[in-house]
Amino acid sequence: MATVEHCLYCFETLAAHLEKRTPMTLYQVQASWADYPKGLDDDDEVLHAESASEVDDDPSSDERPSSSSATSASAGKDKLSRPRIPVLDRLSNSNSRSSTPSSTSTTSLSPSTAETTPSSSSNFVPIGLHPRRTSQRSSTITESPLFITWNTISPSSHIKNLRGCIGTFSTEPLAEGLKSYALLSSLSDTRFSPISLRELPSLEVAVTLLTDFETCADPLDWEIGVHGIRISFYARNKRYGACYLPDVAVEQEWDKEETVISAMRKAGWGGREEKWREVGDLKVVRYQGRAESLGWGEYKRWREWVDEGKEGK
């Protein structure tokens, strides 16, 4: 599952590239994050206050948690292991309902959508993504199919807009895959200009690791909001393929048939909508995505802590 450390490493890779310095390694980032203070003392106080409220009958006690704190504390016992980071995954994407991905010859994966040229490829390019915080904070995974998404966050409206996304369905060693696709998605997504140094403060990065690939018995044999789909088919003696990530159908309010047809359109199919099942050798693979996201502010605070030499102290 994707972790905060994976997101930090992507920011570190991009920032170091733009600042023309040597980036920390993934191992160094992971070791540093383990020592980094994450505001857990406050969470301890909230949980302590809740415990006290169970045995303290004094209604005038001023150590009661606020309603928001109580909700947060009741989210589960693993709360103590979770760092305090901005919750941006519920923000809307202003382009999610209006933009259509342009065709591109770049091989890449995408967070919400993906397309390829008629020739087969293991990589794809995307459009918007709303990564969910479903991952654990620690992970022993060392390789995975993955993609990296960069979004800009408007300071006034807090609306999220896609800034770049590229990834792969091929299994990649994480240290190399995260580094490569952090740069490819930020600098080489042909739908956008390369991200510049001055843009860093407006960015959020999302890392998604792809899991549980299963060939569908039927093109509609998958669940909205749970599965992403990767389709392939023949039409006019050419092979076509495209993919959508799990969040896309939910964001666009599509049913399963609409999602499959949209993916076919994205791949380049121009047939009649009611004839979609008549293409040759239509195959659908369903999969799940384990995502984590992080904003520049949290990365900057961590990086300043590292630069001040507080690691291991």
Side-chain angles (χ1 to χ4, degrees), residues 70-81:
T71 300
S72 176
S74 64
K77 294 182 179 180
D78 63 342
K79 172 69 177 177
L80 290 177
S81 66

Side-chain angles (χ1 to χ4, degrees), residues 187-205:
L187 305 174
S188 301
D189 188 329
T190 57
R191 297 165 299 170
F192 305 95
S193 60
I195 290 175
S196 65
L197 183 62
R198 64 181 177 80
E199 291 182 85
L200 290 179
S202 68
L203 291 179
E204 174 202 68
V205 67

Side-chain angles (χ1 to χ4, degrees), residues 92-106:
S92 61
N93 185 331
S94 61
N95 293 332
S96 64
R97 298 182 187 280
S98 58
S99 61
T100 21
S102 57
S103 61
T104 172
S105 59
T106 303

Side-chain angles (χ1 to χ4, degrees), residues 6 143 186 226 233 257 302:
H6 297 155
E143 58 182 23
S186 59
V226 173
F233 59 94
E257 184 170 331
W302 166 78

Side-chain angles (χ1 to χ4, degrees), residues 39 49 92 96 118-119 130 135 143 185 187 235 251 272-274 311:
S92 61
S96 64
S119 59
H130 300 272
S135 69
E143 58 182 23
S185 58
L187 305 174
E251 291 171 358
R272 295 171 57 184
E273 187 170 301
E274 63 273 18
E311 295 176 275

Side-chain angles (χ1 to χ4, degrees), residues 2-56:
T3 66
V4 172
E5 296 97 309
H6 297 155
C7 297
L8 289 171
Y9 183 55
C10 290
F11 257 125
E12 173 67 6
T13 298
L14 176 58
H17 175 83
L18 296 175
E19 294 166 358
K20 302 185 185 307
R21 60 176 174 83
T22 301
M24 296 172 65
T25 66
L26 177 58
Y27 175 80
Q28 290 172 325
V29 170
Q30 291 170 327
S32 173
W33 182 253
D35 292 334
Y36 177 65
K38 308 172 184 67
L40 298 183
D41 290 343
D42 293 339
D43 292 332
D44 285 336
E45 291 173 5
V46 170
L47 292 178
H48 175 73
E50 278 203 328
S51 298
S53 69
E54 295 176 0
V55 296
D56 187 355

Side-chain angles (χ1 to χ4, degrees), residues 1-6 33 77-79 81-83 132-141 209 290-292:
M1 295 182 177
T3 66
V4 172
E5 296 97 309
H6 297 155
W33 182 253
K77 294 182 179 180
D78 63 342
K79 172 69 177 177
S81 66
R82 295 187 179 183
R132 303 179 217 170
R133 296 191 177 282
T134 58
S135 69
Q136 301 295 324
R137 295 301 177 187
S138 62
S139 175
T140 57
I141 190 170
L209 306 185
R290 300 291 184 259
E292 184 61 273

